[in-house]
Amino acid sequence: MSDALDPTPYDALLLLSFGGPEGPDDVVPFLENVTRGRGIPKERLKEVGQHYFLFGGVSPINDQNRALLDALRKDFAEHGLDLPVYWGNRNWAPYLTDTLREMVTDGHRRILVLATSAYASYSGCRQYRENLADSLAALEAEGLELPRIDKLRHYFNHPGFVRPMIDGVLKSLSELPEDVRDGAHLAFTTHSIPNAAADTSGPTEGHGDGGAYVKEHRDVARLIADAVREETGVEHPWQLVYQSRSGAPHIPWLEPDICDHLEERHGAGAPAVVMVPIGFVSDHMEVLYDLDTEAEAKAAELGLPVRRSATVGADPRFAAAIRDLVLERAVKESGTPVTPCALGTLGASHDLCPVGCCPARAPKPAAAGADSPYA
Protein backbone atom coordinates (compact mmCIF):
# COMPACT_ATOMS: atom_id res chain seq x y z
CA MET A 1 0.00 0.00 0.00
CA SER A 2 3.06 2.30 0.23
CA ASP A 3 2.42 3.91 -3.18
CA ALA A 4 -1.26 4.66 -2.52
CA LEU A 5 -1.17 7.76 -0.36
CA ASP A 6 -4.51 9.24 -1.33
CA PRO A 7 -7.00 8.78 1.55
CA THR A 8 -9.98 9.84 -0.58
CA PRO A 9 -12.89 9.70 0.21
CA TYR A 10 -11.78 10.16 3.81
CA ASP A 11 -10.81 13.60 5.06
CA ALA A 12 -9.94 12.90 8.72
CA LEU A 13 -9.02 10.13 11.17
CA LEU A 14 -10.47 9.95 14.68
CA LEU A 15 -8.53 8.16 17.42
CA LEU A 16 -11.28 6.86 19.71
CA SER A 17 -10.30 5.61 23.16
CA PHE A 18 -11.57 4.85 26.65
CA GLY A 19 -10.19 7.83 28.53
CA GLY A 20 -8.87 8.04 32.06
CA PRO A 21 -8.45 10.41 35.03
CA GLU A 22 -5.54 12.85 35.02
CA GLY A 23 -5.53 13.69 38.74
CA PRO A 24 -7.03 12.59 42.09
CA ASP A 25 -10.08 14.85 41.73
CA ASP A 26 -10.90 13.19 38.40
CA VAL A 27 -11.04 9.60 39.65
CA VAL A 28 -14.59 9.33 41.04
CA PRO A 29 -16.19 11.49 38.28
CA PHE A 30 -14.40 9.33 35.71
CA LEU A 31 -15.67 6.13 37.32
CA GLU A 32 -19.17 7.64 37.44
CA ASN A 33 -18.94 8.11 33.67
CA VAL A 34 -17.75 4.54 33.17
CA THR A 35 -20.50 3.02 35.33
CA ARG A 36 -23.33 5.43 34.46
CA GLY A 37 -26.74 3.78 34.68
CA ARG A 38 -25.60 0.88 36.88
CA GLY A 39 -26.55 2.47 40.22
CA ILE A 40 -23.15 1.94 41.86
CA PRO A 41 -22.82 4.00 45.09
CA LYS A 42 -20.13 6.67 45.24
CA GLU A 43 -18.50 4.97 48.23
CA ARG A 44 -18.01 1.83 46.15
CA LEU A 45 -16.49 3.91 43.37
CA LYS A 46 -14.03 5.39 45.85
CA GLU A 47 -12.98 1.85 46.78
CA VAL A 48 -12.51 0.93 43.12
CA GLY A 49 -10.59 4.15 42.59
CA GLN A 50 -7.85 3.04 44.99
CA HIS A 51 -6.05 1.48 42.02
CA TYR A 52 -5.81 4.95 40.46
CA PHE A 53 -4.88 6.66 43.74
CA LEU A 54 -1.85 4.35 44.00
CA PHE A 55 -0.59 6.12 40.87
CA GLY A 56 -1.45 9.66 41.96
CA GLY A 57 -4.96 9.47 40.51
CA VAL A 58 -3.55 9.46 36.99
CA SER A 59 -4.23 6.83 34.37
CA PRO A 60 -1.44 6.51 31.82
CA ILE A 61 -3.88 6.00 28.95
CA ASN A 62 -4.25 9.67 28.02
CA ASP A 63 -0.50 10.20 27.75
CA GLN A 64 -0.29 6.97 25.76
CA ASN A 65 -2.89 8.33 23.35
CA ARG A 66 -1.02 11.62 23.04
CA ALA A 67 2.10 9.66 22.14
CA LEU A 68 0.16 7.62 19.58
CA LEU A 69 -1.30 10.81 18.09
CA ASP A 70 2.22 12.20 17.70
CA ALA A 71 3.42 8.93 16.14
CA LEU A 72 0.52 8.87 13.65
CA ARG A 73 0.96 12.49 12.65
CA LYS A 74 4.71 12.00 12.23
CA ASP A 75 4.27 8.86 10.14
CA PHE A 76 1.57 10.43 7.94
CA ALA A 77 3.68 13.55 7.35
CA GLU A 78 6.81 11.56 6.52
CA HIS A 79 4.91 9.47 3.95
CA GLY A 80 2.96 12.29 2.36
CA LEU A 81 -0.43 11.22 3.70
CA ASP A 82 -2.48 14.38 4.12
CA LEU A 83 -5.01 13.30 6.73
CA PRO A 84 -5.61 15.25 9.96
CA VAL A 85 -5.86 13.15 13.13
CA TYR A 86 -8.20 13.99 16.01
CA TRP A 87 -8.72 12.35 19.40
CA GLY A 88 -11.86 11.69 21.43
CA ASN A 89 -12.68 9.53 24.47
CA ARG A 90 -15.72 7.66 25.70
CA ASN A 91 -15.34 8.49 29.39
CA TRP A 92 -13.10 11.52 29.87
CA ALA A 93 -11.86 14.65 28.16
CA PRO A 94 -11.45 15.13 25.29
CA TYR A 95 -14.98 13.72 25.02
CA LEU A 96 -16.08 12.05 21.81
CA THR A 97 -19.06 14.36 21.16
CA ASP A 98 -16.91 17.47 21.60
CA THR A 99 -14.28 16.10 19.21
CA LEU A 100 -16.85 15.14 16.57
CA ARG A 101 -18.38 18.60 16.83
CA GLU A 102 -14.94 20.12 16.28
CA MET A 103 -14.36 17.88 13.26
CA VAL A 104 -17.69 18.85 11.70
CA THR A 105 -17.02 22.54 12.38
CA ASP A 106 -13.64 22.09 10.69
CA GLY A 107 -15.47 20.85 7.60
CA HIS A 108 -14.85 17.10 7.76
CA ARG A 109 -17.57 14.89 6.25
CA ARG A 110 -15.96 11.44 5.75
CA ILE A 111 -14.31 10.26 8.92
CA LEU A 112 -12.40 7.06 9.64
CA VAL A 113 -12.29 5.84 13.24
CA LEU A 114 -9.41 4.01 14.91
CA ALA A 115 -10.51 2.44 18.20
CA THR A 116 -7.82 1.56 20.74
CA SER A 117 -9.10 -2.01 20.90
CA ALA A 118 -7.73 -4.58 18.47
CA TYR A 119 -10.22 -7.41 18.93
CA ALA A 120 -13.90 -8.19 18.46
CA SER A 121 -16.15 -7.90 21.53
CA TYR A 122 -19.06 -5.82 22.78
CA SER A 123 -16.88 -3.60 24.97
CA GLY A 124 -14.07 -3.45 22.41
CA CYS A 125 -16.14 -2.65 19.32
CA ARG A 126 -19.94 -2.51 19.53
CA GLN A 127 -19.92 -0.20 22.56
CA TYR A 128 -17.64 2.25 20.74
CA ARG A 129 -20.06 2.14 17.83
CA GLU A 130 -22.94 2.88 20.22
CA ASN A 131 -21.00 5.85 21.59
CA LEU A 132 -20.51 7.12 18.04
CA ALA A 133 -24.26 6.84 17.41
CA ASP A 134 -24.98 8.73 20.64
CA SER A 135 -22.62 11.52 19.61
CA LEU A 136 -24.09 11.75 16.12
CA ALA A 137 -27.57 11.99 17.63
CA ALA A 138 -26.37 14.85 19.85
CA LEU A 139 -24.91 16.71 16.86
CA GLU A 140 -28.09 16.10 14.88
CA ALA A 141 -30.11 17.63 17.72
CA GLU A 142 -27.85 20.68 17.49
CA GLY A 143 -28.71 21.03 13.81
CA LEU A 144 -25.22 20.21 12.55
CA GLU A 145 -24.56 18.45 9.26
CA LEU A 146 -23.62 14.88 10.12
CA PRO A 147 -20.48 13.28 8.73
CA ARG A 148 -20.34 9.73 7.42
CA ILE A 149 -18.28 7.59 9.79
CA ASP A 150 -16.52 4.31 9.05
CA LYS A 151 -14.49 2.26 11.53
CA LEU A 152 -11.17 0.65 10.66
CA ARG A 153 -11.22 -3.15 10.80
CA HIS A 154 -9.83 -5.05 13.76
CA TYR A 155 -6.05 -5.03 13.54
CA PHE A 156 -5.14 -7.82 16.00
CA ASN A 157 -3.29 -9.80 13.31
CA HIS A 158 -1.71 -6.96 11.36
CA PRO A 159 2.11 -7.38 11.26
CA GLY A 160 2.59 -3.85 12.60
CA PHE A 161 0.68 -4.83 15.74
CA VAL A 162 2.13 -8.33 16.15
CA ARG A 163 5.83 -7.72 15.46
CA PRO A 164 6.39 -5.23 18.31
CA MET A 165 4.89 -7.77 20.72
CA ILE A 166 7.22 -10.49 19.42
CA ASP A 167 10.17 -8.20 20.07
CA GLY A 168 8.80 -7.45 23.53
CA VAL A 169 8.74 -11.15 24.42
CA LEU A 170 12.27 -11.67 23.11
CA LYS A 171 13.51 -8.74 25.23
CA SER A 172 11.72 -10.04 28.34
CA LEU A 173 13.20 -13.50 27.87
CA SER A 174 16.67 -12.00 27.55
CA GLU A 175 16.18 -10.21 30.88
CA LEU A 176 15.43 -13.43 32.78
CA PRO A 177 18.28 -15.21 34.59
CA GLU A 178 20.02 -17.50 32.15
CA ASP A 179 19.34 -20.64 34.19
CA VAL A 180 15.53 -20.20 33.89
CA ARG A 181 15.30 -18.50 30.49
CA ASP A 182 14.85 -21.50 28.19
CA GLY A 183 12.28 -23.09 30.50
CA ALA A 184 10.16 -19.95 30.85
CA HIS A 185 6.46 -20.21 30.12
CA LEU A 186 4.55 -17.52 28.19
CA ALA A 187 1.30 -16.26 29.71
CA PHE A 188 -0.61 -14.28 27.07
CA THR A 189 -3.03 -12.02 28.92
CA THR A 190 -6.15 -10.11 27.97
CA HIS A 191 -9.12 -8.55 29.71
CA SER A 192 -11.56 -11.13 31.05
CA ILE A 193 -15.14 -10.64 29.92
CA PRO A 194 -18.33 -12.56 30.76
CA ASN A 195 -18.52 -15.92 29.00
CA ALA A 196 -21.80 -14.87 27.43
CA ALA A 197 -20.18 -11.77 25.90
CA ALA A 198 -17.26 -13.82 24.59
CA ASP A 199 -19.56 -16.46 23.09
CA THR A 200 -21.45 -13.82 21.09
CA SER A 201 -18.42 -11.80 19.97
CA GLY A 202 -17.88 -11.35 16.25
CA PRO A 203 -20.29 -12.23 13.42
CA THR A 204 -23.16 -14.55 14.30
CA GLU A 205 -21.83 -17.51 12.29
CA GLY A 206 -18.85 -17.67 14.65
CA HIS A 207 -20.78 -17.41 17.92
CA GLY A 208 -20.29 -20.04 20.63
CA ASP A 209 -17.46 -21.26 22.87
CA GLY A 210 -15.56 -18.00 23.22
CA GLY A 211 -16.60 -16.56 19.86
CA ALA A 212 -14.24 -14.32 17.91
CA TYR A 213 -12.78 -12.81 21.09
CA VAL A 214 -11.06 -16.00 22.21
CA LYS A 215 -10.23 -17.22 18.68
CA GLU A 216 -8.51 -13.95 17.77
CA HIS A 217 -6.44 -13.84 20.95
CA ARG A 218 -5.39 -17.45 20.59
CA ASP A 219 -4.33 -16.85 17.01
CA VAL A 220 -2.16 -13.89 18.02
CA ALA A 221 -0.66 -15.85 20.92
CA ARG A 222 0.21 -18.69 18.57
CA LEU A 223 1.80 -16.27 16.09
CA ILE A 224 4.01 -14.79 18.78
CA ALA A 225 4.96 -18.13 20.33
CA ASP A 226 5.85 -19.55 16.90
CA ALA A 227 7.97 -16.51 16.05
CA VAL A 228 9.81 -16.74 19.37
CA ARG A 229 10.54 -20.42 18.72
CA GLU A 230 11.83 -19.67 15.23
CA GLU A 231 14.09 -16.87 16.44
CA THR A 232 15.43 -18.53 19.60
CA GLY A 233 15.27 -22.21 18.75
CA VAL A 234 13.42 -22.78 22.04
CA GLU A 235 9.85 -24.03 22.39
CA HIS A 236 8.23 -22.10 25.24
CA PRO A 237 4.97 -23.54 26.63
CA TRP A 238 2.19 -20.96 26.45
CA GLN A 239 -1.40 -20.34 27.50
CA LEU A 240 -4.02 -17.62 27.02
CA VAL A 241 -5.06 -16.30 30.44
CA TYR A 242 -7.19 -13.43 31.70
CA GLN A 243 -7.06 -10.46 34.04
CA SER A 244 -9.03 -7.48 35.34
CA ARG A 245 -12.30 -9.26 36.08
CA SER A 246 -14.83 -6.80 37.53
CA GLY A 247 -18.21 -8.56 37.43
CA ALA A 248 -20.47 -10.17 40.01
CA PRO A 249 -19.07 -13.47 41.38
CA HIS A 250 -22.09 -15.53 40.24
CA ILE A 251 -21.64 -14.59 36.55
CA PRO A 252 -19.14 -16.81 34.69
CA TRP A 253 -16.19 -14.89 33.22
CA LEU A 254 -13.31 -16.12 31.11
CA GLU A 255 -10.65 -17.96 33.12
CA PRO A 256 -7.99 -18.69 34.33
CA ASP A 257 -7.00 -15.47 36.05
CA ILE A 258 -3.34 -14.51 35.68
CA CYS A 259 -2.63 -14.81 39.42
CA ASP A 260 -4.22 -18.26 39.59
CA HIS A 261 -2.22 -19.21 36.51
CA LEU A 262 1.05 -18.11 38.09
CA GLU A 263 0.29 -20.19 41.15
CA GLU A 264 -0.60 -23.22 39.01
CA ARG A 265 2.52 -22.87 36.84
CA HIS A 266 4.73 -22.56 39.91
CA GLY A 267 3.15 -25.67 41.39
CA ALA A 268 3.77 -27.54 38.14
CA GLY A 269 7.46 -26.65 38.23
CA ALA A 270 7.72 -23.82 35.69
CA PRO A 271 11.01 -22.00 36.39
CA ALA A 272 9.81 -18.58 35.14
CA VAL A 273 6.96 -16.84 33.34
CA VAL A 274 6.82 -13.99 30.86
CA MET A 275 3.48 -12.15 30.99
CA VAL A 276 2.49 -10.89 27.52
CA PRO A 277 -0.44 -8.40 27.53
CA ILE A 278 -1.61 -9.01 23.96
CA GLY A 279 -5.11 -7.72 24.69
CA PHE A 280 -3.99 -4.16 25.41
CA VAL A 281 -2.74 -1.53 22.98
CA SER A 282 -0.92 0.44 25.68
CA ASP A 283 0.17 0.32 29.33
CA HIS A 284 -3.04 1.61 30.87
CA MET A 285 -4.28 0.95 34.41
CA GLU A 286 -5.17 -2.71 33.93
CA VAL A 287 -1.57 -3.36 32.88
CA LEU A 288 0.07 -1.21 35.57
CA TYR A 289 -2.04 -2.52 38.43
CA ASP A 290 -3.24 -6.01 37.52
CA LEU A 291 0.08 -7.14 36.04
CA ASP A 292 2.87 -4.85 37.25
CA THR A 293 1.47 -4.62 40.80
CA GLU A 294 -0.86 -7.49 41.65
CA ALA A 295 0.52 -10.30 39.47
CA GLU A 296 4.13 -9.38 40.22
CA ALA A 297 3.33 -9.42 43.94
CA LYS A 298 1.86 -12.91 43.55
CA ALA A 299 4.99 -14.05 41.68
CA ALA A 300 7.23 -12.60 44.41
CA GLU A 301 5.19 -14.41 47.05
CA LEU A 302 5.72 -17.66 45.13
CA GLY A 303 9.39 -17.00 44.44
CA LEU A 304 8.65 -17.28 40.73
CA PRO A 305 10.78 -15.15 38.37
CA VAL A 306 8.52 -13.14 36.04
CA ARG A 307 8.88 -10.45 33.43
CA ARG A 308 6.16 -8.41 31.76
CA SER A 309 6.68 -7.68 28.07
CA ALA A 310 5.82 -4.34 26.50
CA THR A 311 2.56 -3.37 24.87
CA VAL A 312 2.62 -1.88 21.37
CA GLY A 313 1.92 1.69 22.52
CA ALA A 314 3.20 4.28 20.05
CA ASP A 315 5.67 1.99 18.29
CA PRO A 316 6.41 3.42 14.81
CA ARG A 317 5.52 0.06 13.27
CA PHE A 318 2.05 0.33 14.75
CA ALA A 319 1.67 3.85 13.36
CA ALA A 320 2.72 2.48 9.95
CA ALA A 321 0.12 -0.29 10.31
CA ILE A 322 -2.60 2.31 10.87
CA ARG A 323 -1.46 4.16 7.75
CA ASP A 324 -1.68 0.88 5.85
CA LEU A 325 -5.22 0.24 7.18
CA VAL A 326 -6.34 3.76 6.24
CA LEU A 327 -5.07 3.40 2.69
CA GLU A 328 -6.46 -0.13 2.39
CA ARG A 329 -9.93 1.12 3.35
CA ALA A 330 -9.69 4.12 1.02
CA VAL A 331 -8.78 1.87 -1.93
CA LYS A 332 -11.68 -0.45 -1.13
CA GLU A 333 -14.07 2.51 -1.05
CA SER A 334 -12.96 3.37 -4.59
CA GLY A 335 -14.00 -0.09 -5.74
CA THR A 336 -10.45 -1.25 -6.48
CA PRO A 337 -9.58 -4.78 -5.31
CA VAL A 338 -6.94 -4.92 -2.58
CA THR A 339 -5.35 -7.75 -0.60
CA PRO A 340 -5.58 -6.94 3.13
CA CYS A 341 -2.47 -7.43 5.22
CA ALA A 342 -3.02 -10.04 7.95
CA LEU A 343 -1.07 -12.82 9.64
CA GLY A 344 -2.27 -16.10 11.12
CA THR A 345 -5.13 -18.42 10.27
CA LEU A 346 -8.14 -16.11 10.59
CA GLY A 347 -7.44 -13.64 7.79
CA ALA A 348 -8.38 -9.98 7.76
CA SER A 349 -11.41 -8.95 9.77
CA HIS A 350 -14.55 -7.47 8.20
CA ASP A 351 -14.67 -3.78 7.30
CA LEU A 352 -18.35 -3.37 8.16
CA CYS A 353 -19.71 -4.97 11.32
CA PRO A 354 -22.63 -7.18 10.22
CA VAL A 355 -26.03 -7.33 11.90
CA GLY A 356 -25.78 -9.42 15.07
CA CYS A 357 -22.03 -8.85 15.49
CA CYS A 358 -21.11 -8.49 19.19
CA PRO A 359 -24.75 -7.83 20.15
CA ALA A 360 -25.64 -5.25 22.76
CA ARG A 361 -26.95 -6.18 26.19
CA ALA A 362 -30.06 -4.23 25.24
CA PRO A 363 -30.98 -3.01 21.74
CA LYS A 364 -29.30 0.34 21.06
CA PRO A 365 -28.34 2.18 17.87
CA ALA A 366 -24.73 1.77 16.73
CA ALA A 367 -22.91 3.69 14.00
CA ALA A 368 -20.38 2.40 11.45
CA GLY A 369 -22.03 -0.98 10.94
CA ALA A 370 -24.53 -2.72 8.66
CA ASP A 371 -27.29 -1.82 11.15
CA SER A 372 -26.29 1.83 11.50
CA PRO A 373 -29.06 4.45 11.36
CA TYR A 374 -26.39 6.85 10.05
CA ALA A 375 -25.42 5.15 6.79
Side-chain angles (χ1 to χ4, degrees):
M1 304 299 302
S2 59
D3 60 343
L5 297 184
D6 181 3
T8 306
Y10 299 106
D11 54 27
L13 176 68
L14 167 63
L15 174 64
L16 176 56
S17 194
F18 193 80
E22 302 206 69
D25 292 341
D26 297 344
V27 172
V28 172
F30 162 73
L31 292 173
E32 287 175 332
N33 287 344
V34 174
T35 61
R36 192 175 306 282
R38 301 183 201 173
I40 299 177
K42 182 171 286 191
E43 290 307 310
R44 174 57 183 152
L45 295 180
K46 289 180 181 177
E47 292 175 18
V48 174
Q50 291 307 312
H51 294 181
Y52 291 95
F53 293 129
L54 288 173
F55 297 89
V58 178
S59 168
I61 192 170
N62 281 348
D63 278 345
Q64 290 281 339
N65 283 325
R66 292 183 183 102
L68 181 55
L69 278 173
D70 289 344
L72 289 170
R73 289 166 177 160
K74 181 174 185 290
D75 179 272
F76 289 6
E78 288 177 348
H79 290 86
L81 178 58
D82 185 14
L83 192 71
V85 187
Y86 293 73
W87 168 37
N89 290 324
R90 284 169 47 183
N91 299 299
W92 201 248
Y95 288 104
L96 171 59
T97 301
D98 295 336
T99 299
L100 275 181
R101 184 185 299 108
E102 178 187 0
M103 296 175 82
V104 169
T105 301
D106 288 348
H108 299 297
R109 296 296 179 266
R110 289 294 303 271
I111 297 170
L112 266 176
V113 173
L114 163 65
T116 54
S117 176
Y119 302 85
S121 70
Y122 171 76
S123 57
C125 184
R126 172 85 193 192
Q127 193 169 18
Y128 282 105
R129 293 175 48 227
E130 290 176 354
N131 297 143
L132 285 166
D134 288 342
S135 293
L136 288 171
L139 298 187
E140 187 174 37
E142 295 172 13
L144 295 175
E145 182 180 351
L146 297 187
R148 174 174 164 178
I149 292 179
D150 292 325
K151 181 178 175 290
L152 288 173
R153 65 176 172 90
H154 301 301
Y155 45 84
F156 63 93
N157 56 3
H158 194 287
F161 185 68
V162 176
R163 185 66 230 188
M165 293 191 289
I166 295 169
D167 290 345
V169 174
L170 293 171
K171 182 174 186 295
S172 292
L173 286 169
S174 73
E175 294 170 349
L176 283 169
E178 191 172 353
D179 60 334
V180 301
R181 186 178 304 152
D182 287 353
H185 288 224
L186 308 180
F188 294 98
T189 76
T190 190
H191 208 300
S192 184
I193 61 175
N195 287 5
D199 292 346
T200 56
S201 58
T204 54
E205 61 269 20
H207 287 181
D209 195 22
Y213 187 75
V214 172
K215 290 184 181 69
E216 290 170 0
H217 281 87
R218 281 183 178 155
D219 210 43
V220 171
R222 188 176 297 107
L223 281 167
I224 296 172
D226 287 351
V228 169
R229 183 191 66 245
E230 290 170 7
E231 297 188 31
T232 64
V234 178
E235 181 85 43
H236 292 274
W238 65 269
Q239 185 172 340
L240 177 63
V241 302
Y242 303 93
Q243 59 175 92
S244 312
R245 175 185 170 132
S246 59
H250 68 281
I251 297 175
W253 282 52
L254 293 173
E255 296 178 337
D257 177 77
I258 178 60
C259 289
D260 294 337
H261 178 70
L262 293 176
E263 194 160 1
E264 188 276 330
R265 287 293 80 206
H266 178 258
V273 173
V274 172
M275 301 181 292
V276 192
I278 60 172
F280 305 90
V281 172
S282 65
D283 287 8
H284 49 64
M285 189 55 65
E286 282 84 351
V287 176
L288 290 190
Y289 183 81
D290 297 330
L291 294 183
D292 294 355
T293 304
E294 198 169 52
E296 289 203 8
K298 169 59 72 173
E301 172 192 319
L302 296 169
L304 177 67
V306 295
R307 295 293 185 273
R308 195 269 290 175
S309 68
T311 53
V312 173
D315 190 290
R317 292 167 292 184
F318 182 44
I322 300 308
R323 168 170 42 88
D324 181 71
L325 291 170
V326 167
L327 296 171
E328 172 195 299
R329 186 62 179 271
V331 171
K332 286 182 178 180
E333 287 294 307
S334 73
T336 303
V338 61
T339 301
C341 189
L343 301 173
T345 63
L346 299 179
S349 185
H350 49 263
D351 288 312
L352 189 69
C353 291
V355 176
C357 189
C358 303
R361 298 158 189 162
K364 190 175 181 183
D371 56 354
S372 172
Y374 299 102

